[in-house]
Every structure is written in C-alpha cells, then in structure tokens.
Amino acid sequence: MFFRKKAKPKAPAEPRIAAKEAAIFELEVGTYWYCTCGFSEDQPFCDGAHAGTDFEPMPFEITEEKVYALCQCKRTGNAPFCDGVHAKLD
C-alpha cells in the first residue's frame, strides 16, 4: 500500500501587501517576530497565518527602546524596517 504526501499549498511568489504605510511602534528591548507573508491579523508581527506555506516569520532583536517604523507592504529592502518603498506601489 502506498500513501501520497499531501502537497503544501502554493504560496504566492510575493507576500501579500498588508498595508501601504509603516506601522509605528515604541518597542521595548527584546526579540520580535516579523510577519513575512502579509496575512497576519497582528501586522506587522507574526500570528502564525503563514502555516502551510513556504513563508517563515523573521526574528529581529530590538536593543534600544525607541519608536520604530516597521514595514507592512513587505517590499522593504531593510526588513523589518520601513524604507518608504510603499509610496511607489500601485
């Protein structure tokens, strides 16, 4: 008897654009998990919505308590931080 493995659902080539603006937070020192798929309901942080896809959350360390602009369009060149690229999206 042979069993077939269930295939993972195909993830889109690019993550979903959660918003075309930065998320502004005052973050405390610690480790955070950045959503890379764009489907988290807790943007820009991971809530596990990537389950079953090829996307993985990205851990990042905050070493200084201050205000940060975090990317929600998922197109930044400096993840998880916003670089303003959302202003150029259609």
Side-chain angles (χ1 to χ4, degrees):
M1 183 179 272
F2 294 95
F3 295 96
R4 289 185 182 197
K5 278 183 142 181
K6 283 190 176 180
K8 270 187 174 181
K10 283 281 187 194
E14 292 187 331
R16 177 180 167 265
I17 295 172
K20 292 182 181 177
E21 63 186 9
I24 310 299
F25 287 97
E26 183 166 346
L27 297 177
E28 297 176 359
V29 172
T31 302
Y32 296 84
W33 294 87
Y34 174 68
C35 168
T36 61
C37 71
F39 289 98
S40 172
E41 294 293 325
D42 192 26
Q43 288 295 328
F45 305 105
C46 178
D47 70 358
H50 64 276
T53 72
D54 291 331
F55 288 103
E56 294 289 332
M58 184 183 92
F60 67 101
E61 290 289 325
I62 295 298
T63 58
E64 178 184 357
E65 184 175 329
K66 67 178 188 176
V67 175
Y68 292 89
L70 301 178
C71 176
Q72 295 189 98
C73 75
K74 312 304 175 190
R75 304 300 187 274
T76 183
N78 188 31
F81 306 104
C82 178
D83 65 4
V85 73
H86 61 267
K88 298 175 186 172
L89 298 175
D90 291 331

